[in-house]
Amino acid sequence: MTPRTVTVRVPAKVNTQLSVGPARPDGFHDLANVFLAVALHDTVTVTPADDLRITCTGPDAAQVPLDRTNLAARAAELLAARHGIEPRVHIHIDKDIPVAGGMAGGSADAAGALLACDALWGTGASQVQLLDICAELGSDVPFSLVGGAALGTGRGEKLTPLEVGGTFHWVFAVADGGLSTPAVYREFDRLTPDAPEPAAAPALLDALRTGDAKALAATLTNDLQAAALSLRPSLAETLAAGTAAGALAALVSGSGPTTAFLCADAEAAHQVAAALTASGTCRAARATTSPAPGATVLTD
Ligand code: C5P
């Protein structure tokens, strides 16, 4: 018997290294993208309905599109199309991942909806088939499905799992307003006319494997950071406020405008989060940990 409702929990991500190559003929950029899932989650629940519809709750729910432009709707449509069925489902997103670029919240909802619909409809897609649909939905969506830590190559969708030897403590500062990802990549092209081929840094992979926060702090890099700062100079104040409050390292997460702060332990993370909130340089600050598991079915 197929279930009447399915709930999936899915994490946000941070990029501990984002090495960006030159623009490809298809407009995308080859990456060495070292993803790490963090324990801020959205919860996606699917229930049979007369038609495809989306609802959303949570502090940032008003900013989430409820039409078919929502990547979670596209995920349900793609899975249904591949199996010759109609996507008659109500997708409810309980959103705790801040709605701000750089944490892959939209990608998380897509991966969550895909896994949930697969269980609801009994389509029995293999992991390879699910990852293939994820890659069609967006460059970050495959990682949202698998979680943990992984090196993403190609445009970020080809994943190699990575070992993580401990718990890392992070704070995320949520900026007001967004930054367009294509615009940030265009600014990267303008600032970096001769970008070398992307490559993962062995020292960073070692730091992840050994769980050494200081070593990880010394190796965090984001090739999109200069472009994000060029388009949004005020992010420099947020980075400085987190560093002044004791973060081991500060960087822009993905294409921004979210900024990420690696901290020595949970207590330091709470201090940095409080200082960032008080600084007035961001809309909100959240402390969390990594790694976190990928999309997981909670009930059916
Ligand atoms: O794959 P996704 O839809 O998330 O990509 C959004 C935009 O980000 C793309 O249209 C492209 O402009 C840029 N991008 C890129 N290279 C990548 C990933 C994304 O240029 N590897």
Side-chain angles (χ1 to χ4, degrees):
M1 225 183 64
T2 50
R4 290 185 52 78
T5 181
V6 179
T7 297
V8 168
R9 203 166 84 125
V10 60
K13 61 87 182 163
V14 63
N15 308 83
T16 56
Q17 185 189 359
L18 187 46
S19 172
V20 183
R24 312 190 310 202
D26 66 1
F28 285 90
H29 295 69
D30 277 325
L31 305 177
N33 192 348
V34 184
F35 291 106
L36 187 59
V38 300
L40 297 176
H41 297 95
D42 282 356
T43 307
V44 181
T45 300
V46 297
T47 314
D50 291 339
D51 202 358
L52 177 56
R53 87 188 169 92
I54 299 197
T55 53
C56 185
T57 48
D60 291 349
Q63 298 174 55
V64 176
L66 299 179
D67 60 15
R68 294 195 176 199
T69 62
N70 187 306
L71 219 46
R74 297 249 301 107
E77 285 174 336
L78 262 184
L79 181 70
R82 293 218 179 171
H83 292 273
I85 57 178
E86 292 296 321
R88 293 200 179 102
V89 66
H90 170 202
I91 302 172
H92 179 72
I93 302 166
D94 189 15
K95 181 156 269 306
D96 193 43
I97 301 174
V99 178
M103 301 206 74
S107 298
D109 298 343
L114 183 66
L115 192 64
C117 286
D118 181 56
L120 184 73
W121 297 334
T123 36
S126 67
Q127 181 80 347
V128 170
Q129 288 167 332
L130 290 175
L131 285 171
D132 186 56
I133 295 176
C134 286
E136 197 171 329
L137 289 164
S139 305
D140 288 346
V141 184
F143 179 72
S144 297
L145 189 73
V146 301
L151 170 62
T153 55
R155 58 187 172 85
E157 87 285 18
K158 293 181 192 143
L159 298 176
T160 308
L162 295 172
E163 244 181 86
V164 183
T167 300
F168 294 105
H169 297 268
W170 295 91
V171 175
F172 292 91
V174 184
D176 260 324
L179 259 183
S180 147
T181 301
V184 174
Y185 274 100
R186 275 197 303 275
E187 183 69 354
F188 169 84
D189 293 336
R190 193 181 70 80
L191 295 174
T192 327
D194 297 309
E197 288 307 314
L204 180 126
L205 302 182
D206 274 350
L208 284 176
R209 191 165 46 239
T210 56
D212 183 335
K214 280 208 176 107
L216 184 62
T219 49
L220 293 170
T221 54
N222 179 359
D223 287 357
L224 294 181
Q225 179 154 322
L229 286 169
S230 167
L231 297 177
R232 184 75 74 81
S234 61
L235 291 180
E237 290 161 32
T238 320
L239 293 171
T243 308
L248 299 174
L251 83 170
V252 170
S253 184
S255 60
T258 300
T259 43
F261 302 85
L262 182 60
C263 298
D265 51 35
E267 199 185 321
H270 285 294
Q271 277 170 15
V272 169
L276 279 165
T277 304
S279 74
T281 63
C282 59
R283 173 161 69 87
R286 300 279 304 270
T288 185
T289 57
S290 67
T296 307
V297 175
L298 296 184
T299 53
D300 60 22

